[in-house]
Amino acid sequence: MSLSCPTCANSQLHGTTLTDQLPAESCPDCRGAVLSLIHYRDWRDAHAAPEESVADAGEASHVDDNKAMLRCPQCKGFMTKFRFLADAANHIDHCDRCDLVWLDHGEWRLVEQLARSGQFAKVFDMTWQKRLREEQAKRRAESRWREQLGDDYARAKELRGWLAGHPRGKELLAYLFLSQTEGA
Ligand SMILES: [Zn+2]
Ligand SMILES: [Zn+2]
């Protein structure tokens, strides 16, 4: 059975390989691809190198990301959008019922290292997503402080690390705090 593209109106998907014989179905028009996570897991067991670290996808932002809710090419139900790294803006659409994902053109390149390290299927579980949200919140807080403190940020961060590991950290902090509020 041939599947139709979830983002193009009337395009049929054709068999292709993403990397090293990982089978997928791709759209000749938008060049997106459907990947079955069942196929991915088989491929991972045969090809992935678990020791490879996951590179950050900082260059990810220029790859197009489909913002619309997509319908699964197989069951036609709505797919869920998942972020995969804290510093990547893109989302990957996943169908829970069919266990397959839609990759917009170029997105495979963004997740390829994740896939090679054997971690790609984990993106779609709650633990990964929870950790990602925590990481994002931490980064947002950090960039707010960086903005507020400007050139002093690095120094403040260093001082903070020193206080955190200090047995009399609380007393030192109280001393610094009082020197500000009491002008002592
Ligand atoms: Zn298409
Ligand atoms: Zn489906």
Side-chain angles (χ1 to χ4, degrees):
M1 187 190 73
S2 120
L3 303 173
S4 47
C5 177
T7 72
C8 307
N10 288 309
S11 302
Q12 297 298 304
L13 304 180
H14 298 290
T16 183
T17 54
L18 290 173
T19 312
D20 292 349
Q21 289 129 41
L22 171 58
E25 302 270 320
S26 93
C27 171
D29 296 319
C30 67
R31 296 201 283 158
V34 169
L35 169 65
S36 153
L37 290 180
I38 298 163
H39 289 156
Y40 166 69
R41 289 188 194 95
D42 285 347
W43 175 86
R44 176 193 65 191
D45 294 345
H47 291 83
E51 71 276 9
E52 247 178 83
S53 66
V54 177
D56 76 275
E59 51 164 338
S61 41
H62 64 271
V63 175
D64 281 347
D65 186 27
N66 204 297
K67 300 283 188 293
M69 286 277 278
L70 299 185
R71 286 188 180 272
C72 171
Q74 197 158 286
C75 70
K76 308 295 176 199
F78 280 117
M79 303 180 88
T80 313
K81 293 189 179 294
F82 285 91
R83 289 186 85 128
F84 48 94
L85 291 175
D87 50 6
N90 285 56
H91 292 80
I92 292 193
D93 300 278
H94 174 249
C95 176
D96 191 37
R97 289 163 294 265
C98 307
D99 207 18
L100 51 77
V101 296
W102 170 256
L103 300 156
D104 291 311
H105 175 57
E107 278 180 346
W108 171 250
R109 200 174 52 77
L110 305 180
V111 298
E112 191 169 353
Q113 251 175 313
L114 210 55
R116 285 186 175 280
S117 67
Q119 299 186 78
F120 183 53
K122 282 190 204 149
V123 167
F124 311 101
D125 81 43
M126 287 307 125
T127 320
W128 182 283
Q129 290 300 316
K130 184 167 172 271
R131 218 187 56 201
L132 208 62
R133 279 196 296 275
E134 287 165 359
E135 177 73 10
Q136 283 169 332
K138 207 177 111 194
R139 283 179 195 215
R140 274 197 299 274
E142 227 175 77
S143 82
R144 269 200 303 274
W145 280 117
R146 188 173 288 124
E147 217 169 90
Q148 227 164 59
L149 299 174
D151 292 342
D152 293 323
Y153 176 75
R155 223 172 146 188
K157 197 177 168 178
E158 197 183 320
L159 181 61
R160 189 181 172 158
W162 176 70
L163 281 173
H166 201 289
R168 280 191 296 277
K170 278 205 178 76
E171 290 81 353
L172 286 161
L173 190 62
Y175 172 71
L176 289 172
F177 179 72
L178 288 174
S179 71
Q180 286 295 303
T181 53
E182 294 180 349

